[in-house]
Amino acid sequence: MTELQPAPADARGVVVLATDTGVGKTFVGCALTQALRSSGFHVRVRKPVETGCSIMNDTLVPADASLLWSAAGQVDTLDDVCPLRFRLPVAAPQAAASEGVSLQFERDIAPLLKDAGNNRHAALREFWIIEGAGGALSPLTEDALNCALATFTGLPVILIAPDRLGTLSTLFAHVEALARRAIPIAAIVLNQRPAHLDADNIGSLKRWLPELISQEGAAPKHRPVLLSFAQDEPMQSAGKRLMDALLNT
């Protein structure tokens, strides 16, 4: 496996990961991007790999990366935001293999993120948002999981899970897995909460979170922000709530 070298600990930005695919990484990433831009931040976005791309004019089009790119004001090229694109809607290594490509983290991903989180333009209040491809513990390359994006960049994670009955077991397992890897979690977002749901997932998360993120009896320096987004919450509202919570902790 690749030996990942972390970036400086004071880097500014987040890696957007989730417990599964299709639970709102791009919605949350775009919402936060727009809120930060409205507050004067220069936002740089990256989604290094996207699968399930459609073909338009003989070009693979990454739908999620395109939304992030637009939310960030298209300050970089779409090729910078998402250079690795594949048609098959499966985990990235399998999608790449179907096209005769082998993905390796150090060779294919690390060069794309070498500047991520390094605020070379302090006057611009630069902030990086990096989105994974699939679940946090799903393969990103042949030799690394999606959570390697956080390990390599040194950026904390926004972890997203669906706010529904039965989500806690998978969510708790991901929180523990990130803690074991010493990956800090800046926020946990329970997304797309239905109007009529009796389960108090935020309450349960508050109860168990200290035990889940503590390692060998040592409590982390910072507790993650906990938010729940309603199924019909506007992107502007969601982004502002998340930005305010992140920047005021």
Side-chain angles (χ1 to χ4, degrees), residues 225-238:
V225 168
L226 304 180
L227 292 175
S228 177
F229 292 162
Q231 214 165 43
D232 58 351
E233 179 153 5
M235 183 175 287
Q236 183 177 5
S237 168

Side-chain angles (χ1 to χ4, degrees), residues 19 166-176 201:
T19 58
T167 198
L168 291 177
S169 181
T170 301
L171 176 58
F172 286 3
H174 277 74
V175 171
E176 283 194 328
N201 291 321

Side-chain angles (χ1 to χ4, degrees), residues 114-197:
K114 58 184 176 61
D115 295 327
N118 297 324
N119 193 351
R120 296 172 300 164
H121 308 290
L124 295 175
R125 300 174 74 200
E126 193 169 78
F127 196 99
W128 286 78
I129 296 178
I130 300 165
E131 182 182 321
L137 302 179
S138 66
L140 178 66
T141 63
E142 297 287 348
D143 58 349
L145 306 178
N146 271 277
C147 58
L149 295 170
T151 303
F152 178 78
T153 60
L155 296 176
V157 164
I158 295 177
L159 182 62
I160 304 165
D163 197 352
R164 57 169 173 75
L165 186 65
T167 198
L168 291 177
S169 181
T170 301
L171 176 58
F172 286 3
H174 277 74
V175 171
E176 283 194 328
L178 293 177
R180 286 198 306 272
R181 290 168 170 80
I183 296 174
I185 302 175
I188 298 174
V189 175
L190 297 178
N191 193 35
Q192 302 171 344
R193 182 178 178 86
H196 304 289
L197 177 66

Side-chain angles (χ1 to χ4, degrees), residues 23-46:
V23 297
K25 290 192 304 296
T26 302
F27 172 83
V28 171
C30 288
L32 180 59
T33 296
Q34 291 180 357
L36 287 165
R37 287 186 64 213
S38 295
S39 295
F41 282 85
H42 179 71
V43 185
R44 308 287 299 279
V45 296
R46 293 290 185 271

